[in-house]
Amino acid sequence: MQNQPTSLPFHPLAHRSSRVLAPLSVLEKMRVFSLESVIEDFEASTKEAADVQRETLRRILEENAEAEYLQSLGLAGRTDPESFKACVPLVNHQDLEPLIQRIADGDASPILTGTPITSMSLSSGTTQGRPKLVPFNEELVKSTMQIYRTSYAFRNKEFPTGKGKALQFIYSSKQFRTNGGLTATTATTNVYRSEQFKNTMKDIQSQCCSPDEVIFGSDFHQSLYCHLLSGLIFSDEVQLISSTFAHSIVHAFRTFEKVWEELCADIREGVLSSRITVPAMRDAMSKILKPNPNLADSIHDKCVGLSNWYGVIPQLWPNAKYVYGIMTGSMEPYLKKLRHYAGDLPLMSADYGSSEGWVGANVNPSLAPEFATFAVLPDIAYFEFIPLGEKSEEQMLEQSPSMMHYTELEPVGLTEVEIGKEYEIVVTNFAGLYRYRLGDVVKVAGFHSSTPELRFICRRSLLLTINIDKNTEKDLQLAVEEATKLLAAEKLEVVDFSSHVDISTDPGHYVIFWELNGNAREDVLSSCCDCLDRAFLDAGYVGSRKVRTIGPLELRVVQRGTFQMILDHFLSMGAAVSQFKTPRCIGQSNSKVLQILNSNVTDRYFSSAYD
């Protein structure tokens, strides 16, 4: 995508075209966004996905031919997939960490890329307790904008939005300088700060209600309050509600339940709450906040007329067409609450990517988030897929679909995957990640022309394991969903949850942490604990529980606000709310989070399911 206009879609077959490209400055003056042309370019690239993939790999290897890492592997200038796979090993982040650290420490030589890496992205750090550094450059911004435009084009065909604004709960994060002077911040913040992002948001009519001073504010709680206030001020203009993750939207409206009367008072008087103390934020909000008693009364009447806040989003934003954000994987547990707030408004899952780069766009926006698929864009990176071998008949009968008892086979190319099969994704991109294992398990749901449409299954890494038991994040989620059915009669819900393997006891046992939105009877929670224990279907777990080599599962109920403390902890480490994912399994490396949870436990229950 080098030397391509940043606001016009890159045509993957342009290298074969006879058309002459105008200079970048000329094209920027001609910026015209066309849904039809975006879809046409996407269809062209996916129609010849195999050819586009070879060309994409050629570009990556040619542009980075001087990289120390590639030169050490003996490619000798070759750019074909066969030579690439023969010379370059499959790696994970740990394998590349020493080289990435050299870049962060200021080594200016071409280590992973032929051009300098100018900044670093930080992963959320919720899994291991510390964020990892990932190289970031303008090519990743370009691929982000390409994904945004592509998914918007398909989304707008089915759910057209007029000219207006978006209530976007997006937040910057703290940034710091590495030893070598590179800026390190979250990938989302790197994107939000770019001119390409601002231009693209104008193109797709998704301009945020909130001023930049709110998005880049230094205090998340104040930014959230101002996002809500901005959304209410421009309530008639809002066309969609969005955030990076579903968790952020749910968190925003849980906060709204507590502060809505204060927001109404601000609008009625035209005076910003004293809780906003950041000068730049106060100044920016004061410019858009004017006395509006009629709007304040309308908001008040709508809020008091709601039943337990059901449908608050369409009530307050009557012209919103949908709610948008990443809703797959670890975000699925928030869908029930999000649907409660959204009422009849459609929920749409945003595109599929990671801190390391993007994979695919949601080109089937009408699918429910639980069934969302993502069409791989063959020109944003070079993709391989490790087939995960068939499970035994016993495993198919006894285990949930996410169990990772697989036999790995040799990676296959983008167009060689098969419908219904599961794979781990391997990516090679323009930021110097070569044959990088993302650790995600996906299933091929179908094809769009010749590119696969993927359904996210789970993270490959095991979360809960003591000996021969193996349970993933998906298994934990399914167990919690099964147990929470027992809370429905009590009109209670799980605000959030996590887990831990406690090996301080002999035998070790699983610990599940729950934060509830109210008080439950002891007999109900005891039944929930038994249900959780029985809901883990892994044969290794069931067998170990029966012979008592794994002890009874423990349910620990924590006091209200505990998971907010965990969020605040990660914010203090420089994470952004937009990128935050609740850690679903707390290991020893996450000792601070474990300390927060354990210090807020109010009740403990032990399972009697296998007594």
Side-chain angles (χ1 to χ4, degrees):
M1 284 174 262
Q2 194 173 33
N3 296 325
Q4 294 292 331
T6 60
S7 56
L8 293 175
F10 164 66
H11 197 302
L13 304 180
H15 65 283
R16 295 201 232 154
S17 173
S18 60
R19 64 187 176 95
V20 178
L21 293 179
L24 182 60
S25 59
V26 174
L27 284 170
E28 283 182 332
K29 293 177 182 177
M30 297 166 54
R31 289 180 64 249
V32 176
F33 181 75
S34 165
L35 296 179
E36 292 75 18
S37 64
V38 171
I39 293 176
E40 286 174 8
D41 287 346
F42 172 78
E43 298 293 358
S45 68
T46 56
K47 185 177 181 180
E48 301 187 50
D51 290 342
V52 174
Q53 277 281 274
R54 292 184 72 93
E55 170 63 11
T56 301
L57 179 63
R58 181 194 66 76
R59 288 185 57 237
I60 292 171
L61 296 180
E62 281 190 357
E63 291 178 16
N64 299 304
E66 299 302 313
E68 170 190 316
Y69 179 75
L70 289 178
Q71 291 201 343
S72 70
L73 298 173
L75 271 173
R78 290 173 293 176
T79 62
D80 60 284
E82 295 74 23
S83 299
F84 176 66
K85 293 176 184 179
C87 296
V88 180
L90 294 169
V91 298
N92 55 35
H93 191 270
Q94 188 175 357
D95 298 321
L96 295 181
E97 205 162 26
L99 297 178
I100 294 173
Q101 192 59 53
R102 279 177 55 194
I103 298 170
D105 288 341
D107 190 331
S109 58
I111 298 172
L112 286 173
T113 58
T115 55
I117 295 294
T118 55
S119 62
M120 288 285 179
S121 287
L122 295 170
S123 68
S124 63
T126 53
T127 302
Q128 300 298 327
R130 65 179 182 88
K132 61 186 178 185
L133 291 172
V134 180
F136 188 88
N137 61 13
E138 282 300 303
E139 292 291 347
L140 292 182
V141 179
K142 292 179 184 178
S143 64
T144 302
M145 298 308 104
Q146 187 178 348
I147 287 276
Y148 283 8
R149 290 191 299 265
T150 301
S151 61
Y152 172 77
F154 282 91
R155 199 161 68 244
N156 212 53
K157 279 181 64 178
E158 293 196 43
F159 301 90
T161 56
K163 289 185 177 181
K165 297 181 181 294
L167 172 51
Q168 296 177 298
F169 297 102
I170 56 178
Y171 310 88
S172 174
S173 69
K174 295 178 182 177
Q175 60 184 48
F176 66 90
R177 293 282 180 179
T178 66
N179 292 338
L182 296 181
T183 298
T185 187
T186 59
T188 50
T189 301
N190 274 324
V191 169
Y192 297 155
R193 290 189 180 279
S194 72
E195 285 300 316
Q196 292 188 58
F197 174 77
K198 294 175 183 177
N199 288 337
T200 300
M201 292 303 101
K202 292 177 184 176
D203 287 341
I204 66 177
Q205 299 171 358
S206 294
Q207 295 182 75
C208 186
C209 290
S210 307
D212 283 352
E213 291 83 354
V214 171
I215 297 171
F216 296 106
S218 57
D219 184 291
F220 154 69
H221 301 285
Q222 294 186 42
S223 290
L224 171 53
Y225 185 90
C226 290
H227 276 316
L228 290 168
L229 182 57
S230 299
L232 292 172
I233 292 171
F234 297 107
S235 56
D236 287 340
E237 299 179 52
V238 169
Q239 296 286 310
L240 62 106
I241 316 291
S242 74
S243 189
T244 306
F245 288 127
H247 168 270
S248 298
I249 306 175
V250 170
H251 185 273
F253 283 97
R254 281 186 170 137
T255 301
F256 181 81
E257 290 183 36
K258 301 173 184 176
V259 302
W260 70 275
E261 290 177 299
E262 190 174 349
L263 291 164
C264 282
D266 289 1
I267 294 171
R268 180 173 286 107
E269 302 298 329
V271 178
L272 187 61
S273 166
S274 60
R275 71 166 63 216
I276 309 304
T277 60
V278 177
M281 214 181 294
R282 283 199 71 88
D283 290 344
M285 290 302 298
S286 296
K287 292 176 182 177
I288 64 172
L289 177 62
K290 308 299 178 188
N292 193 336
N294 291 336
L295 177 59
D297 289 343
S298 174
I299 295 168
H300 181 276
D301 292 346
K302 289 176 179 178
C303 287
V304 296
L306 293 170
S307 174
N308 195 27
W309 298 101
Y310 177 81
V312 61
I313 294 176
Q315 272 294 311
L316 296 182
W317 291 277
N319 295 315
K321 305 301 189 299
Y322 51 84
V323 179
Y324 185 67
I326 294 172
M327 300 179 186
T328 53
S330 60
M331 294 299 115
E332 278 193 33
Y334 304 107
L335 287 178
K336 182 179 180 181
K337 190 64 174 180
L338 189 54
R339 284 197 170 98
H340 181 82
Y341 288 133
D344 295 331
L345 210 59
L347 302 185
M348 291 185 207
S349 190
D351 309 304
Y352 174 29
S354 66
S355 298
E356 290 85 358
W358 288 98
V359 177
N362 183 353
V363 298
N364 299 301
S366 60
L367 290 177
E370 294 89 341
F371 305 103
T373 61
F374 308 95
V376 181
L377 272 65
D379 55 328
I380 59 173
Y382 183 73
F383 297 100
E384 299 172 73
F385 296 82
I386 301 174
L388 302 175
E390 297 292 341
K391 303 166 190 171
S392 68
E393 184 176 344
E394 179 185 5
Q395 290 170 342
M396 292 293 285
L397 290 173
E398 294 189 19
Q399 296 176 7
S400 67
S402 61
M403 287 296 90
M404 296 293 95
H405 300 291
Y406 292 110
T407 301
E408 286 188 6
L409 304 175
E410 285 298 308
V412 298
L414 178 69
T415 58
E416 299 169 328
V417 296
E418 298 179 40
I419 294 176
K421 298 291 181 67
E422 293 182 1
Y423 300 85
E424 180 185 351
I425 300 179
V426 177
V427 64
T428 297
N429 67 18
F430 291 90
L433 299 180
Y434 307 100
R435 303 200 82 192
Y436 185 98
R437 300 177 69 148
L438 286 183
D440 290 352
V441 176
V442 296
K443 178 179 284 188
V444 179
F447 280 85
H448 189 105
S449 295
S450 61
T451 199
E453 292 189 353
L454 308 176
R455 182 168 294 152
F456 181 87
I457 301 298
C458 63
R459 291 286 295 165
R460 179 97 194 254
S461 57
L462 299 172
L463 287 178
L464 294 164
T465 181
I466 293 175
N467 43 56
I468 63 171
D469 53 308
K470 295 178 174 65
N471 285 297
T472 66
E473 180 175 312
K474 186 67 174 179
D475 299 304
L476 173 62
Q477 177 190 325
L478 293 172
V480 170
E481 287 177 357
E482 188 65 26
T484 52
K485 293 176 183 177
L486 302 178
L487 295 173
E490 305 294 310
K491 296 184 178 179
L492 292 172
E493 63 184 46
V494 174
V495 174
D496 221 329
F497 65 92
S498 191
S499 65
H500 171 62
V501 170
D502 188 346
I503 55 174
S504 66
T505 61
D506 186 18
H509 67 285
Y510 289 5
V511 177
I512 309 298
F513 296 95
W514 274 9
E515 180 181 326
L516 303 175
N517 67 337
N519 298 319
R521 300 197 317 269
E522 287 191 9
D523 62 313
V524 173
L525 289 173
S526 182
S527 296
C528 287
C529 185
D530 291 350
C531 183
L532 282 167
D533 206 0
R534 286 192 296 266
F536 286 104
L537 303 178
D538 167 50
Y541 181 77
V542 173
S544 296
R545 283 289 287 117
K546 287 179 178 178
V547 299
R548 292 177 169 75
T549 55
I550 293 179
L553 180 143
E554 180 183 1
L555 173 61
R556 297 180 188 173
V557 180
V558 298
Q559 64 183 2
R560 292 292 303 273
T562 298
F563 280 87
Q564 177 64 51
M565 296 179 194
I566 294 173
L567 171 58
D568 290 340
H569 163 66
F570 282 104
L571 292 179
S572 71
M573 294 171 58
V577 176
S578 302
Q579 200 166 321
F580 176 76
K581 293 177 283 189
T582 299
R584 295 298 182 208
C585 183
I586 314 299
Q588 293 304 320
S589 61
N590 241 342
S591 58
K592 178 61 178 177
V593 175
L594 192 58
Q595 179 186 340
I596 293 171
L597 287 167
N598 283 329
S599 63
N600 285 281
V601 172
T602 58
D603 296 290
R604 298 171 185 256
Y605 301 87
F606 286 90
S607 168
S608 58
Y610 290 90
D611 289 353

